[in-house]
Amino acid sequence: MTDTAALAARLDTAAREAAATTQLTADVALAAPGAYAVQRALVARRLARGERMVGVKMGLTSRAKMAQMGVDEVIWGRLTDAMWIPDGGAVDTAAHIHPRVEPEVAFLLDRTPVVGDDFAACVRAVAPALELIDSRYADFRFTLADVIADNTSAAGFVVGPWRPVPDGLDNLGVLLEVDGEVVQTGSTAAILGDPRRAFDAAVRLAGADGITLAPGWVVLAGAATAAVPLAPGSHVRAVVEGLGTASLTARGARP
Ligand code: 0L1
Ligand code: MG
């Protein structure tokens, strides 16, 4: 039988000590339902330490990432207040194993949605965002079950200024800049064809796991480009056409 609590403790320790662990699936048979149970137990440990849930994130939302993992369904993870980095704030790279950043779009919920609810009726605002991901597995290598258990690599997120949702969200240009240089370009179309679909997926998948999405919560829709490593001393900015920017600085001496 899978020892969910022990697997969650192993991932929690890896995150807290910024020391990679081996893939859980190297030791136990794990499929998606069991992996989500580990994720639940993992985040429960954070909540027991005083953190609180502030939203959910969608992962593997681009065709490229899905193909890389050999799946055709998105995955999701839990966001807590301790993961929320103020816009323009600092991240301690030494507190992470091999952090990466990716540009995203964030939604602010106005009310609790149920499956089939209309996006416009449930979402109060949209913002440019950055997600900080950090796999707790060595070499950033994992199976689908491993990454689900690891809270889909969630480590932190930045939300830029909220603004009312514009009419078209499905093809906004996205830039990821490091130290003022554009290192990735993309489009919000890379997020499930339209980031609003990430909202539907969040309602469906988190709801199936018993999560009630609450007013004021954030839904991180997914990445619009590949993630890039976060180097100490660097300044990273996401620019989303018509929405604005979100940024962070990585603390630490430049290599
Ligand atoms: O947010 C994401 O799309 C990450 C999902 C997990 C895969 C990865 O860590 O790249
Ligand atoms: Mg992401």
Side-chain angles (χ1 to χ4, degrees), residues 57-60 65 102 104 131 133 140 142 147 152-153:
K57 60 155 282 188
M58 308 313 294
L60 305 183
K65 274 199 185 187
E102 52 192 23
E104 303 217 359
E131 187 184 12
I133 55 173
F140 230 107
F142 38 72
V147 72
T152 63
S153 306

Side-chain angles (χ1 to χ4, degrees), residues 3-16 24 38 41-42 45:
D3 188 344
T4 301
L7 298 178
R10 175 164 146 191
L11 289 169
D12 194 32
T13 301
R16 297 186 85 190
L24 305 186
V38 175
L42 172 63
R45 292 174 68 94

